[in-house]
Amino acid sequence: MKSLTFAEKILGANAGAIVFARPDIILTHDNTASIYRTFLKMGGTKVADPGQMLVVLDHNAPPPDAKLANQYQEIRDIVASQGITKFYDAGRGICHQIMSYHARPGMLIVGSDSHTSTAGAFNAFAAGIDRTESAGIWKRGETWFRVPESIRINLKGKLRKNVYAKDLALWIIGMIGSDGANYMSVEFHGKGVRNLTISDRMTMSNLASEMGAKNAVSPADKVLGDFLGTSIENMQGVWADEGASYFREIDIDLNEIVPVVAAPHNVDNVKTVSETAGVPVHEGLIGTCTNGRIEDLRIAAEILKDKKIMKGFQLNVIPASDKIFLQAVSEGIITILMESGASILTPSCGPCLGTGLGIPASGHTVISTANRNFPGRMGNKEAGIYLASPATVAASALTGVLTDPREDPENIKYPHSAGQSITSVIKEGENRKTGNVWNYSDVDNLNTDLMFAGKHTYNVLSSDPASIIPYLFEDFDPSFRSDARPGDIILAGNNFGCGSSREHPSVGLAYAGIGAVIVKSVNRIFYRSSINQGLLLIVHKEAVEAYKQGDKVNISLERGEIIVGNKQFSFEPLPGKLREIIDKKGLVNYMKSV
């Protein structure tokens, strides 16, 4: 009998197979109103299973304007009318922290947020999907999965003092790159896992999204049992068989990890804190779904106790939930942080995606415990973001420069290097269109924030495609919105569509009539999103690299053929059901017919 990976066991099929499955939980948040409108377009009336649904108001909590406040009330009305009982109103916490109250070993969890992978810390298979797919599950109760191949990461040893899970996660991302685990299931194995708390594991699984992973999972062991208040036997966990086949295995000694940062503007642009020490920073953020737990606040408080942050430095602290906030109050942590000069914000996503309080000023450099540092990620493309552990953020807040939190840090250079994109944004006045082809072949990691800035996410609904066009590619190529025409073809580099599960870019490109997107490689959520919107996306590295300015590009779906200039390339046709979704111009129309 074949030995199986965790993903193969959960989904009941071998890697590469397409299966339909019914999730135990489907998470939505501030995007619930938009999802509901798409659900109605699909012909939905009552959700298939209200018990599947977990709804949390967190991204704009509390809402900063009347439009968002009205959306929040609309979501409350939807929840009441649909009989959804797992509902958490504004101020209760960030959805991935709230998920810790519900996720259990062996569950299948999906959510309309890319960091749904955080729940893998509870031995669940947890993956992000887009809004349209969420609406489809509301209607039918199930969705399709391609069973992922798996990466096994073997951990041994123990992290040293003032080195944390955030450092370990960034270390791995820098090692394999932001697309190094694209569409993979990541499994954490080895004796070193025992030395990671559930908070540590949540950080690890959360950041697996930034290496392109579909999910990341830890075992159902004694550490998890103690957290859940049960025994290993009662948890009914799922784990890989010995001898299972992996795409890649990585061995890491936790004793060798040192504090690191992800430097602007890519998560895999990793450097040790010691080699970046002295870089001026103006603002700090401790919080988000990555590092807003009580353990993180304790770390910051220990460093900041009886000290004052640098004059002129702005430090914002956001507990990940109201329970964590109250615990921090009872432990005296909030007093310590406020006396140091920090500001405490409502449990929410805050400025992480550029919508909440705490947007940085132009020219400022931020050091943050969040999970992304793309240009414009925090609401201002003229700011730079370093990602780091709570300890490094706190230590840097005291000095106003990047500072290693260890007392006597050795000067170590980060030993790995993930290649950074030649181009990240298109300069004003630069023309990237020839004929009907937009040539972005030199742009890797073209993320959803650059295609549609996070600050617009809840003012412009993805269920209203016409409203997206004025903002499409706004922070990447300003000429695109005015010059794009139906039938245009986009060529792009590696890891296209990485970042947030935000579906606005695929909705906007489909609505604009883009004929096809041809890329060297694609982020897994964006690929699903493109299919759901009826947007043809083809992965073909050779075809992209063959393109020369002025070449004509033609595509035949029937023949599985791309012609670039005078060169011909073949590609694998889509499976039947997915081709049907494309032919029907998206999942909404497809769902009306089933």
Side-chain angles (χ1 to χ4, degrees):
M1 184 175 177
K2 180 181 182 291
S3 296
L4 302 176
T5 64
F6 170 83
E8 290 172 327
K9 279 192 171 181
I10 285 281
L11 295 172
N14 292 328
I18 302 290
V19 300
F20 279 78
R22 189 179 187 87
D24 295 288
I25 299 175
I26 172 169
L27 166 70
T28 63
H29 47 74
D30 294 21
N31 51 29
T32 301
S34 183
I35 291 168
Y36 184 69
R37 292 175 194 181
T38 302
F39 168 72
L40 295 178
K41 287 180 182 178
M42 291 176 172
T45 53
K46 295 292 289 184
V47 299
D49 181 2
Q52 280 181 304
M53 298 175 65
L54 171 61
V55 180
V56 184
L57 299 183
D58 65 347
H59 277 52
N60 298 279
D65 58 46
K67 184 175 182 179
L68 289 169
N70 289 336
Q71 276 186 38
Y72 270 31
Q73 186 54 50
E74 183 182 351
I75 292 169
R76 295 184 188 104
D77 294 341
I78 292 167
V79 164
S81 67
Q82 294 291 338
I84 298 165
T85 57
K86 292 194 286 286
F87 171 64
Y88 294 81
D89 214 324
R92 303 289 70 77
I94 302 172
C95 59
H96 308 301
Q97 185 64 35
I98 298 297
M99 180 66 80
S100 69
Y101 311 155
H102 300 279
R104 293 296 180 268
M107 278 188 171
L108 178 60
I109 297 171
V110 296
S112 56
D113 190 284
S114 57
H115 293 109
T116 301
S117 57
T118 308
F122 302 95
N123 190 239
F125 184 100
I129 58 175
D130 68 19
R131 298 180 182 191
T132 299
E133 192 164 351
S134 299
I137 303 175
W138 283 20
K139 186 179 181 189
R140 296 191 66 185
E142 66 173 12
T143 190
W144 65 273
F145 296 86
R146 177 186 172 275
V147 183
E149 294 179 291
S150 297
I151 292 177
R152 175 172 172 148
I153 299 181
N154 302 309
L155 304 177
K156 70 176 183 178
K158 186 176 182 179
L159 293 171
R160 291 183 285 172
K161 185 178 179 181
N162 284 328
V163 182
Y164 298 96
K166 181 62 163 284
D167 299 305
L168 172 59
L170 292 176
W171 188 282
I172 296 170
I173 293 169
M175 178 189 296
I176 70 174
S178 58
D179 62 348
N182 205 7
Y183 219 110
M184 300 283 178
S185 173
V186 175
E187 298 176 3
F188 296 111
H189 289 255
K191 293 181 179 179
V193 178
R194 303 174 194 168
N195 296 320
L196 298 177
T197 67
I198 296 305
S199 177
D200 293 335
R201 297 177 189 190
M202 290 176 73
T203 297
M204 298 292 292
S205 287
N206 179 282
L207 280 163
S209 176
E210 307 313 318
M211 59 182 90
K214 186 177 184 70
N215 72 293
V217 63
S218 296
D221 59 5
K222 187 178 184 303
V223 175
L224 180 57
D226 290 346
F227 180 88
L228 297 176
T230 188
S231 66
I232 295 175
E233 294 74 24
N234 289 334
M235 283 192 291
Q236 298 181 327
V238 176
W239 201 232
D241 296 325
E242 283 299 322
S245 178
Y246 292 92
F247 174 82
R248 182 177 181 182
E249 287 200 41
I250 300 170
D251 296 319
I252 295 177
D253 186 344
L254 301 184
N255 300 286
E256 296 177 356
I257 307 301
V258 299
V260 295
V261 295
H265 295 286
N266 288 304
V267 184
D268 59 3
N269 188 17
V270 175
K271 304 176 186 299
T272 64
V273 179
S274 61
E275 67 182 303
T276 56
V279 172
V281 285
H282 309 90
E283 303 180 31
L285 172 63
I286 297 174
T288 78
C289 58
T290 313
N291 284 112
R293 284 170 284 282
I294 191 67
E295 294 87 347
D296 302 308
L297 304 189
R298 287 172 183 156
I299 290 165
E302 183 179 350
I303 291 171
L304 295 173
K305 187 175 182 180
D306 299 327
K307 299 182 179 72
K308 293 288 185 182
I309 64 175
M310 174 65 67
K311 186 177 180 180
F313 189 95
Q314 176 68 52
L315 176 61
N316 294 316
V317 179
I318 311 176
S321 74
D322 56 349
K323 290 184 178 180
I324 292 169
F325 201 151
L326 287 169
Q327 187 175 353
V329 169
S330 68
E331 293 184 14
I333 291 172
I334 297 300
T335 299
I336 292 170
L337 295 174
M338 292 188 71
E339 286 180 345
S340 77
S343 298
I344 314 299
L345 306 183
T346 303
S348 70
C349 297
C352 174
L353 72 161
T355 58
L357 299 174
I359 307 303
S362 297
H364 274 203
T365 300
V366 183
I367 181 165
S368 167
T369 66
N371 40 46
R372 291 189 177 130
N373 62 345
F374 307 136
R377 171 65 185 178
M378 290 184 68
N380 187 348
K381 65 178 180 179
E382 303 303 325
I385 305 167
Y386 282 83
L387 303 179
S389 74
T392 300
V393 174
S396 301
L398 293 173
T399 62
V401 297
L402 285 180
T403 302
D404 196 308
R406 296 173 298 167
E407 291 181 3
D408 187 23
E410 64 270 49
N411 189 14
I412 295 176
K413 185 179 175 65
Y414 182 69
H416 309 285
S417 178
Q420 302 302 306
S421 180
I422 300 170
T423 308
S424 57
V425 294
I426 306 305
K427 295 176 182 176
E428 193 78 40
E430 183 180 347
N431 179 28
R432 285 302 186 102
K433 184 179 183 182
T434 303
N436 72 331
V437 178
W438 293 88
N439 181 16
Y440 303 130
S441 59
D442 59 331
V443 182
D444 295 330
N445 305 310
L446 180 48
N447 58 76
T448 50
D449 280 277
L450 285 176
M451 295 188 213
F452 184 88
K455 61 189 177 184
H456 303 310
T457 304
Y458 301 101
N459 285 308
V460 179
L461 298 182
S462 61
S463 54
D464 181 14
S467 67
I468 295 172
I469 302 302
Y471 307 100
L472 201 59
F473 285 28
E474 174 186 26
D475 286 343
F476 171 63
D477 184 353
S479 69
F480 185 86
R481 323 170 255 187
S482 56
D483 294 344
R485 297 290 181 269
D488 281 359
I489 292 172
I490 296 172
L491 301 179
N494 286 306
N495 205 21
F496 184 84
C498 61
S500 171
S501 59
R502 190 176 307 133
E503 70 176 8
H504 293 74
S506 57
V507 172
L509 292 172
Y511 184 79
I514 297 301
V517 181
I518 308 173
V519 298
K520 294 180 182 178
S521 66
V522 65
N523 175 269
R524 59 158 190 98
I525 297 180
F526 194 92
Y527 180 70
R528 292 178 74 97
S529 185
S530 68
I531 290 172
N532 292 337
Q533 300 309 322
L535 174 68
L536 178 62
L537 191 149
I538 301 169
V539 178
H540 207 298
K541 183 177 181 180
E542 292 78 12
V544 173
E545 291 178 341
Y547 178 79
K548 300 290 185 295
Q549 203 71 24
D551 282 349
K552 290 186 177 180
V553 179
N554 292 292
I555 301 164
S556 171
L557 271 181
E558 291 72 23
R559 296 192 299 273
E561 180 181 274
I562 306 170
I563 297 175
V564 179
N566 58 4
K567 296 180 180 178
Q568 180 177 314
F569 302 91
S570 298
F571 62 90
E572 198 67 32
L574 284 171
K577 283 189 177 180
L578 303 191
R579 174 65 190 274
E580 192 175 347
I581 293 172
I582 294 286
D583 290 342
K584 289 184 180 294
K585 304 299 181 185
L587 189 63
V588 170
N589 293 329
Y590 175 81
M591 291 297 290
K592 287 179 181 176
S593 66
V594 296

